[in-house]
């Protein structure tokens, strides 16, 4: 299983919303997330930097903290992403925001699929969410939608199929 864990890095992209970052790191620490985490911070809040640089705060997370200039523009953000990716040596990477919570089994299944199917360059599982009716009533659902491969050899056919059966891509 270690080779699966070593094959994936989580790239956590930050721009402020520090409360969500604390919550994300608490979750990762609680579940003892087995993947390496690279944290690329392009926010203004320096308090989060001090918290993340103190490794005793999250002893069960194998992470590296990278400080970037403030993400004032989209080019600033994309430069942060490209620079962060250059710090990753694993075969696969998953991009994360501080409001994304991964289920380890789902990531393991994705990595296994990619390792066993070299003709694929990416994959994803279901995306679930909390849906609120009011402050006291909510439920967890996975929106029902059929997933379609968009792997045609002709780019225009891939785009047409993607637009006909829209799926989130990032």
């Amino acid at each position: 299983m270690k080779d699966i864990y070593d094959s994936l890095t989580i790239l956590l992209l930050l721009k402020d919303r520090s409360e969500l970052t604390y919550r994300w790191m608490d979750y990762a620490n609680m579940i003892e997330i087995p993947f390496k985490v690279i944290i690329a911070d392009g926010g203004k809040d320096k308090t989060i930097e001090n918290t993340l640089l103190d490794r005793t705060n999250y002893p069960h997370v194998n992470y590296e903290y990278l400080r970037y200039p403030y993400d004032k523009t989209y080019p600033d953000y994309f430069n942060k992403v490209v620079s962060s990716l250059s710090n990753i040596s694993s075969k696969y990477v998953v991009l994360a925001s501080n409001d994304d919570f991964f289920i380890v089994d789902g990531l393991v299944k994705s990595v296994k699929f990619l390792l066993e199917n070299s003709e694929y360059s990416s994959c994803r599982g279901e995306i679930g969410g909390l849906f609120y009716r009011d402050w006291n009533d909510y439920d967890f659902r996975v929106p029902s939608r059929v997933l379609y491969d968009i792997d045609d050899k002709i780019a225009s056919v891939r785009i047409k199929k993607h637009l006909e059966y829209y799926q989130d891509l990032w």
Side-chain angles (χ1 to χ4, degrees), residues 124 145-146 148-152 154-170:
R124 73 143 221 243
R145 90 172 76 148
V146 177
Y148 296 90
D149 281 340
I150 49 173
D151 59 356
D152 196 279
I154 301 168
S156 61
V157 173
R158 290 193 308 270
I159 291 169
K160 183 174 186 268
K161 191 169 185 183
H162 170 66
L163 294 174
E164 286 175 354
Y165 307 102
Y166 183 77
Q167 300 175 51
D168 299 328
L169 294 176
W170 182 239

Side-chain angles (χ1 to χ4, degrees), residues 47-71:
T47 308
I48 192 75
E49 178 177 1
N50 294 330
T51 301
L52 292 172
L53 287 174
D54 182 354
R55 299 220 177 264
T56 62
N57 290 318
Y58 305 103
H60 303 295
V61 182
N62 176 17
Y63 70 95
E64 181 180 346
Y65 177 82
L66 305 172
R67 164 55 76 180
Y68 286 90
Y70 181 65
D71 291 344

Side-chain angles (χ1 to χ4, degrees), residues 123-147:
C123 70
R124 73 143 221 243
E126 294 290 343
I127 299 172
L130 290 175
F131 295 88
Y132 289 90
R133 292 186 195 97
D134 61 46
W135 285 104
N136 298 313
D137 190 15
Y138 64 90
D139 60 11
F140 176 80
R141 291 193 313 258
V142 176
S144 63
R145 90 172 76 148
V146 177
L147 299 176

Side-chain angles (χ1 to χ4, degrees), residues 10-28 77 95-103 127-130 132 140 170:
I10 298 170
L11 176 54
L12 180 60
L13 300 163
L14 302 181
K15 180 182 177 184
D16 299 322
R17 304 187 318 165
S18 298
E19 307 80 31
L20 297 180
T21 301
Y22 294 125
R23 186 178 68 166
W24 195 96
M25 291 298 291
D26 286 340
Y27 171 76
Y77 170 78
L95 301 181
S97 294
N98 55 7
D99 61 353
D100 297 330
F101 294 89
F102 297 111
I103 307 298
I127 299 172
L130 290 175
Y132 289 90
F140 176 80
W170 182 239

Side-chain angles (χ1 to χ4, degrees), residues 61-128:
V61 182
N62 176 17
Y63 70 95
E64 181 180 346
Y65 177 82
L66 305 172
R67 164 55 76 180
Y68 286 90
Y70 181 65
D71 291 344
K72 186 175 183 179
T73 65
Y74 281 117
D76 293 334
Y77 170 78
F78 288 115
N79 285 331
K80 175 181 76 178
V81 172
V82 170
S83 175
S84 303
L85 288 169
S86 71
N87 287 286
I88 295 174
S89 59
S90 62
K91 188 168 185 171
Y92 303 109
V93 64
V94 59
L95 301 181
S97 294
N98 55 7
D99 61 353
D100 297 330
F101 294 89
F102 297 111
I103 307 298
V104 172
D105 288 346
L107 292 175
V108 167
K109 287 178 185 177
S110 292
V111 172
K112 280 184 180 178
F113 174 84
L114 291 170
L115 290 171
E116 293 168 2
N117 297 276
S118 61
E119 67 275 16
Y120 284 83
S121 61
S122 63
C123 70
R124 73 143 221 243
E126 294 290 343
I127 299 172

